[in-house]
Amino acid sequence: MHPSVHAVIAVKSLGLAKSRLADGLAPEYRPRLVLAMLEDTVTAAVSTPAIASVTVVTPDPTVAGVVRALGARVHPEPEVIAPHTSGLNAALAAGAEGVRRAHGAVDLLALQADLPALRAAELGELLRSARHHRSVVTDHDGSGTVALLVRGGGDDPLNAALNPLFGPDSARRHIAGGAVEVLGEWPGLRQDVDTAADLERAVALGVGRATSALLREIGVSQACHGTGDRCRAESSLS
């Protein structure tokens, strides 16, 4: 069976990198960390056999060049954003619409871009486990969303639309919108990174090559374990 799931990830300009990491990471490293975490997220997604394609929506040429080299496609950010819609959700919706124009009523998987400990095996298990039309995976604290899966087909095009609702309290809002929470032991998938504490938790799980290399460069002691492409920290990031 050919893979029918197409992943969509949205990333804003690197110059607008995560300010909430300011308590644990110098400003000059934050854009590089955002890019490294994206690299590891995209690498896991393109390595998942059940995923047919990965599309990254971004206005940033550096991001575009990096993800193309990893095998992802690039979609431009929408020029017009509807009222009461965040830039992230508008970008994900635009990327999803582009995928559907190119491939028809395929399954869509919206992923957060900051999942440096994500494993392809976790995504594969999620896709096998999620049998509902709309499924959501919550983040490590249960309030946010790290993945939204919408199955294609059906008679109602609105029901098949991605309709992303990422942002504060997004898990509750996705579930209220008809998504079913998928339960599973996927620590790498659930560990998004917004703060220095989140980054420490991701490193403890084992991050991918790009994030690991950057953390080694900026002085975080690392030791590789297991497959050789994941690393765990031996010392604090702070």
Side-chain angles (χ1 to χ4, degrees):
M1 179 181 295
H2 294 293
S4 63
V5 179
H6 296 253
V8 182
I9 301 169
V11 185
K12 58 188 176 183
S13 295
L14 293 177
L16 302 174
K18 295 175 177 286
S19 60
R20 291 171 65 188
L21 285 166
D23 59 341
L25 201 63
E28 62 267 26
Y29 294 121
R30 291 201 293 269
R32 295 180 60 193
L33 177 63
V34 169
L35 185 59
M37 293 193 297
L38 172 66
E39 286 186 62
D40 290 331
T41 303
V42 171
T43 296
V46 299
S47 301
T48 303
I51 293 180
S53 75
V54 177
T55 297
V56 177
V57 184
T58 184
D60 194 299
T62 299
V63 170
V66 166
V67 299
R68 282 194 181 105
L70 294 172
R73 301 170 183 177
V74 176
H75 191 282
E77 265 195 340
E79 295 182 1
V80 178
I81 298 176
H84 311 297
T85 301
S86 73
L88 171 60
N89 289 321
L92 288 170
E97 290 168 4
V99 168
R100 286 271 176 82
R101 283 195 299 270
H103 300 285
V106 294
D107 299 342
L108 298 169
L109 175 66
L111 278 176
Q112 290 281 28
D114 54 354
L115 305 174
L118 177 63
R119 271 74 165 169
E122 294 177 318
L123 287 177
E125 187 175 335
L126 161 63
L127 297 177
R128 289 190 296 272
S129 302
R131 302 184 182 277
H132 298 278
H133 184 71
R134 302 181 70 84
S135 303
V136 64
V137 180
T138 64
D139 64 7
H140 58 96
D141 69 9
S143 64
T145 301
V146 292
L148 175 67
L149 175 65
V150 178
R151 298 295 186 182
D155 298 327
D156 186 352
L158 292 178
N159 196 35
L162 184 62
N163 190 26
L165 299 170
F166 288 84
D169 202 25
S170 63
R172 180 192 61 79
R173 292 186 291 119
H174 279 130
I175 292 169
V180 176
E181 182 180 357
V182 185
L183 303 177
E185 294 296 325
W186 307 311
L189 172 60
R190 295 185 187 276
Q191 187 57 67
D192 56 344
V193 175
D194 290 316
T195 67
D198 291 337
L199 181 57
E200 288 204 7
R201 283 189 288 266
V203 171
L205 291 171
V207 294
R209 289 183 182 274
T211 304
S212 175
L214 176 61
L215 295 181
R216 281 199 302 268
E217 178 184 335
I218 64 180
V220 178
S221 177
Q222 301 277 325
C224 291
H225 296 272
T227 62
D229 62 353
R230 297 278 158 180
C231 291
R232 295 179 180 175
E234 293 182 326
S235 63
S236 173
L237 293 169
S238 58

